[in-house]
Amino acid sequence: MNFYNIKLSLKSLLKNRVVSAINIGGLALGISISLLIFAFVDKEESMDKHIAKSDNIFVLENDQDSYVSSKMVELIRMNIPEIKHITYAQNEWSPQVFVEYNNKKIKIKHLIVTDSAFFRVLPMKALYGNPSTALTTSNKIVLTETLSKKIFGNENPIGKTITYNATNLQNELIVVGAVIKDLSHNSSFKFDAVLSEDTNNKIDWYVGNKNSWGTQNYISYFRIPTNGNINLINQKLKNIPLTDVEEDFKSNIKLSSLPLQDSYFEAPDIEIQRHGNHLTIVIIRITGILILLLACINYINLVSTQKIKRLRNIGILKVLGSKRRKIIQLISTESGLVLLITSALVITLLYFLTEGLNHLTQSLFTLAEILSGWNLVVFILILIVTLLITGIIPGIILSSNETTQLLKNKISINHKNYLRNILLVFQFTISIILLTSILFIKKQNNFLISKDPGFKRENIIYTTTNEEISNLGDAFQNEMKKIAGVEDITFSSSVIGYNESNWGRDLLNKTEQYNIWFSNFYVSPNFFKFFGIELVRGKQFNEYSPKAGDWIFNQTAIKKFRIEQLEDVKLLNWNGTKQEPIIAEVKDFNFESMHVPIRSVGFRCRNNVDEVAYFKLITTNGATFKQCLSAIQKKWTKLSPKFPLEIKFMNSSWEALYTKEKQFQKILNYAAAISILLSCLGLISLTFFIVETQTKEIGLRKVNGAKPYEIVQMLNKGFAKWVAIAFVIACPIAWYAMHKWLENFAYKTELSWWIFALAGLIALGIALLTVSFQSWRAATRNPVESLRYE
């Protein structure tokens, strides 16, 4: 009996192979895409939860800022015993870091510097050695598995020595203390190696910075015991004794904590971690749910439409004596067979689409990971519920109808199809919301990239320097300016858009002295002229500025620090022994991404070659541009053979600040395409249903002389109305979602009305094209076929 049912089911599927392909393909595609989306969302929401007892780990914050001084960490370590372990870390400031072993030189792209407690606060799986004790002394390093294999192959590197060469520290012999497993893709931390902070204590200026309360450049993490009370610790942080704190900094200390698991979404200023946007993730999750609903609804509609075409077959089976149980089995077997084929297709699609998801989201998903946990539960539930709705329940209903009604294709049908129309509105509401969101996100991304940040970035390349270049001083600039196509060169301590330096200093304003906090850049005298940054008042840096200790502040800083006349203020150095003048006010420009408003920033002049070198190029075409880059490369290799040249484009690095937004846009692009495709399938199913239920009417109209276009017009009547209703529902939902999303940016585009209108017109056009195709097929069919059973 089961074999017979399978045979009949296969015969039915092959007889209606086009519709069967639409059924199976649409459902499989919808399920596959939704499972991929759910896997990505789960990864984003589980960031750092793989770390042992991660709910006991917190980020130290000061006045809602994530950066603190190392002296503050030591103060907490001494005064709050309830904190089990506390550590501090930062990205290595050297622009270039290389290690050498057996005459093989390897670049470390992401290196963080930290104290010995880092892996006790943040335990990570060890491959070799013990990370928690590996950084207790100077000149120790912990490697990730991939970096270890690049340097040592498959050897156990514990105790082996490598030569460390960085911009700020050269020819140091570093011992490998441990190797950890590569960071998982649900880790927000991004590093290839971890260096013991004591190693950098050999750099004079580093020690000076570290010992200052005003150097707010470290991220601090702490761990509490399993039964620890974070509320008690927060209270102690709030009331920590400040006896040892310098008087000028006491008023700026407002300590609190943030759970590590929340830092991925809520602390975007932490540079040693990757970050996401929680609202974006919520939107993507909802999109996945809606795509899944669309796929299931379309499948159910198409299946139910096809069931109507088989009423006569069921009636014949009843005439031949088939029992009700057999009819239910037959219909359920066909649905089960379709779902079995769909399952195989889902697994196949996931196998091929997983690589695309990894490329799009910089993840490391496997097929087994996607089909596990809640995703597997969702997949099984979809199959069970779909089988119930499209197999068992229709079998029960159809088998209970009278045989005569079945033979005449006349069961109780509500020709107004309220439910189907509601589902149609639902489908196009989703499509219009997604289309509107895509257009707005694209407009915002274009706005961020094209908006003038207040400095010139066209035809500018940059690279990081090193000690060899710095020792050349002006000779380096003179040599580079000889290259045809190089118009000018300037330097700064960090790349515009990626500055991590935060300082605290005392400001003497007339007779009043108070502490100020600001971001800091060291720059060359020609920095502002090079980037076309306008001075509001005062004078540019000159050759005497480095010795005089001249400063230039932006408009935001001047306003925030209550500076009226530049001549009335002096900035005190670290120990208050020297007064440094503020010689100019520079117009505000975006030295960070436009996610955040412009902050206070101070620029200090330094004549020596600094860590980042910028080249302004004058080239007429691509060929001369390549020649210029090649000449820079050759000259660099001659001047700095130890450190290779790494050229980056200012435009590209600025656009890279908005990688997450571009990723979000791409995800919604694919989601909208799938949504529109599924909506079209929904229209096809509804058109099939209308054609099947109005076969007699179509035939009679054609016999009485109706033209094909009149039949099409009749069948299309009402579809525009349902899309219009979907548009009205979608607009406020899309407006609210995009309004909330734009709150993540300090600078944002307008929610233009034409985007809503364009999305509605696109949806309407797609709907009418889809329906008209099916309607035309019905209108051009021979009327004899429609009337021969009447």
Side-chain angles (χ1 to χ4, degrees), residues 195-210:
L195 182 70
S196 60
E197 193 228 10
D198 288 341
T199 308
N200 276 351
N201 286 339
K202 298 173 184 179
I203 306 171
D204 291 339
W205 62 262
Y206 184 87
V207 175
N209 281 350
K210 190 177 77 169

Side-chain angles (χ1 to χ4, degrees), residues 53 63 147 250 260 344 515 550 626 638 642 680:
K53 299 181 180 178
D63 197 16
L147 182 59
K250 289 182 178 180
L260 174 67
N515 187 252
D550 290 345
K626 288 182 180 179
K638 181 180 177 180
K642 286 177 61 177
C680 291

Side-chain angles (χ1 to χ4, degrees), residues 477 489-496 499 503 519-531 533 535 540-542 545-546 550-553 583 586 589 591 601-612 614:
Q477 299 182 59
I489 300 175
T490 195
F491 300 87
S492 71
S493 55
S494 57
V495 181
I496 297 177
N499 182 46
W503 281 14
S519 185
N520 171 67
F521 276 90
Y522 279 111
V523 299
S524 299
N526 68 331
F527 179 84
F528 299 109
K529 182 180 178 182
F530 181 95
F531 284 105
I533 300 170
L535 256 65
Q540 294 274 8
F541 288 131
N542 55 54
S545 291
D550 290 345
W551 285 87
I552 293 178
F553 277 82
I583 65 170
V586 71
F589 70 96
F591 64 93
V601 60
F603 301 89
R604 176 83 180 270
C605 186
R606 193 151 64 185
N607 249 338
N608 296 330
V609 174
D610 222 317
E611 295 181 0
V612 182
Y614 304 88

Side-chain angles (χ1 to χ4, degrees), residues 316-565:
I316 292 171
L317 288 175
K318 294 191 74 171
V319 168
L320 294 175
S322 293
K323 301 296 183 183
R324 188 177 182 188
R325 181 167 59 87
K326 180 183 176 181
I327 294 172
I328 295 173
Q329 285 179 347
L330 177 61
I331 296 175
S332 299
T333 299
E334 183 175 332
S335 294
L337 184 61
V338 169
L339 292 175
L340 184 63
I341 298 171
T342 301
S343 301
L345 185 56
V346 166
I347 295 171
T348 304
L349 285 172
L350 289 176
Y351 177 80
F352 288 104
L353 293 175
T354 298
E355 185 177 348
L357 176 67
N358 288 336
H359 177 74
L360 178 63
T361 63
Q362 289 80 54
S363 303
L364 299 169
F365 288 108
T366 62
L367 179 61
E369 186 177 359
I370 291 174
L371 282 175
S372 62
W374 280 109
N375 265 12
L376 183 60
V377 173
V378 169
F379 187 29
I380 293 172
L381 283 176
I382 291 169
L383 297 178
I384 293 173
V385 173
T386 307
L387 177 62
L388 186 67
I389 295 175
T390 62
I392 298 173
I393 294 177
I396 294 172
I397 294 173
L398 293 176
S399 62
S400 64
N401 278 274
E402 293 293 333
T403 305
T404 54
Q405 290 181 317
L406 291 169
L407 290 172
K408 291 183 178 181
N409 273 14
K410 292 181 178 179
I411 64 170
S412 178
I413 297 172
N414 180 1
H415 288 280
K416 293 187 178 181
N417 301 307
Y418 289 122
L419 179 59
R420 292 179 187 275
N421 290 332
I422 289 171
L423 294 178
L424 176 66
V425 171
F426 172 74
Q427 291 170 329
F428 273 91
T429 298
I430 295 170
S431 297
I432 293 170
I433 289 172
L434 289 175
L435 281 170
T436 306
S437 300
I438 287 170
L439 293 171
F440 271 128
I441 293 167
K442 185 174 179 60
K443 185 183 178 189
Q444 172 67 7
N445 289 345
N446 290 339
F447 172 78
L448 293 175
I449 294 170
S450 61
K451 183 182 183 302
D452 182 10
F455 67 91
K456 294 178 181 178
R457 61 183 195 274
E458 292 76 18
N459 296 324
I460 293 177
I461 62 171
Y462 69 91
T463 186
T464 52
T465 63
N466 54 68
E467 188 180 39
E468 292 175 332
I469 297 297
S470 297
N471 290 339
L472 292 171
D474 292 340
F476 170 75
Q477 299 182 59
N478 295 333
E479 285 294 315
M480 287 296 179
K481 285 182 179 180
K482 293 178 183 177
I483 298 173
V486 176
E487 179 184 4
D488 200 4
I489 300 175
T490 195
F491 300 87
S492 71
S493 55
S494 57
V495 181
I496 297 177
Y498 299 86
N499 182 46
E500 297 180 43
S501 182
N502 298 285
W503 281 14
R505 286 286 193 93
D506 276 355
L507 184 74
L508 186 62
N509 190 349
K510 296 181 181 178
T511 58
E512 185 182 4
Q513 182 174 329
Y514 48 89
N515 187 252
I516 61 174
W517 300 84
F518 56 92
S519 185
N520 171 67
F521 276 90
Y522 279 111
V523 299
S524 299
N526 68 331
F527 179 84
F528 299 109
K529 182 180 178 182
F530 181 95
F531 284 105
I533 300 170
E534 180 184 341
L535 256 65
V536 178
R537 55 175 165 163
K539 58 184 179 180
Q540 294 274 8
F541 288 131
N542 55 54
E543 57 184 298
Y544 304 106
S545 291
K547 188 174 181 180
D550 290 345
W551 285 87
I552 293 178
F553 277 82
N554 68 344
Q555 290 173 298
T556 297
I558 295 293
K559 181 179 180 181
K560 183 177 180 180
F561 303 150
R562 309 191 306 276
I563 298 173
E564 297 178 359
Q565 299 297 324

Side-chain angles (χ1 to χ4, degrees), residues 31 252 279 380 509 582 636 650 770:
I31 292 174
N252 292 311
L279 177 60
I380 293 172
N509 190 349
I582 298 175
W636 182 282
M650 198 69 219
T770 304

Side-chain angles (χ1 to χ4, degrees), residues 559-750:
K559 181 179 180 181
K560 183 177 180 180
F561 303 150
R562 309 191 306 276
I563 298 173
E564 297 178 359
Q565 299 297 324
L566 299 179
E567 298 79 9
D568 293 338
V569 296
K570 302 290 181 182
L571 198 64
L572 301 183
N573 67 350
W574 297 113
N575 53 19
T577 58
K578 182 180 178 181
Q579 296 182 0
E580 300 168 342
I582 298 175
I583 65 170
E585 175 184 356
V586 71
K587 190 174 181 179
D588 278 344
F589 70 96
N590 295 98
F591 64 93
E592 297 173 298
S593 81
M594 294 188 186
H595 292 92
V596 295
I598 295 174
R599 296 189 295 127
S600 302
V601 60
F603 301 89
R604 176 83 180 270
C605 186
R606 193 151 64 185
N607 249 338
N608 296 330
V609 174
D610 222 317
E611 295 181 0
V612 182
Y614 304 88
F615 298 77
K616 185 181 293 183
L617 307 183
I618 303 176
T619 56
T620 56
N621 53 53
T624 57
F625 186 79
K626 288 182 180 179
Q627 290 173 4
C628 182
L629 292 183
S630 178
I632 293 173
Q633 177 76 58
K634 290 178 181 178
K635 185 75 72 175
W636 182 282
T637 303
K638 181 180 177 180
L639 298 174
S640 176
K642 286 177 61 177
F643 291 87
L645 175 66
E646 296 178 321
I647 291 176
K648 297 182 181 179
F649 294 84
M650 198 69 219
N651 263 332
S652 298
S653 68
W654 185 253
E655 291 177 14
L657 293 169
Y658 312 104
T659 300
K660 280 287 184 180
E661 285 68 38
K662 290 181 180 179
Q663 182 189 89
F664 182 34
Q665 180 182 331
K666 286 181 181 178
I667 291 173
L668 281 191
N669 283 345
Y670 293 127
I674 300 300
S675 168
I676 291 170
L677 175 61
L678 294 175
S679 295
C680 291
L681 293 179
L683 278 177
I684 291 171
S685 70
L686 185 55
T687 309
F688 278 159
F689 183 81
I690 291 173
V691 170
E692 290 294 331
T693 56
Q694 295 184 356
T695 299
K696 181 180 178 180
E697 181 181 351
I698 293 170
L700 289 174
R701 285 178 178 272
K702 291 203 69 176
V703 167
N704 287 304
K707 304 296 183 183
Y709 75 88
E710 293 175 330
I711 303 295
V712 171
Q713 186 177 17
M714 179 198 75
L715 292 174
N716 288 4
K717 185 180 180 181
F719 280 106
K721 176 179 68 175
W722 299 120
V723 175
I725 293 173
F727 176 76
V728 171
I729 296 172
C731 283
I733 298 173
W735 181 90
Y736 178 78
M738 289 298 98
H739 178 74
K740 296 296 291 183
W741 181 72
L742 287 173
E743 289 179 358
N744 296 290
F745 303 90
Y747 304 89
K748 60 197 75 173
T749 187
E750 295 179 352

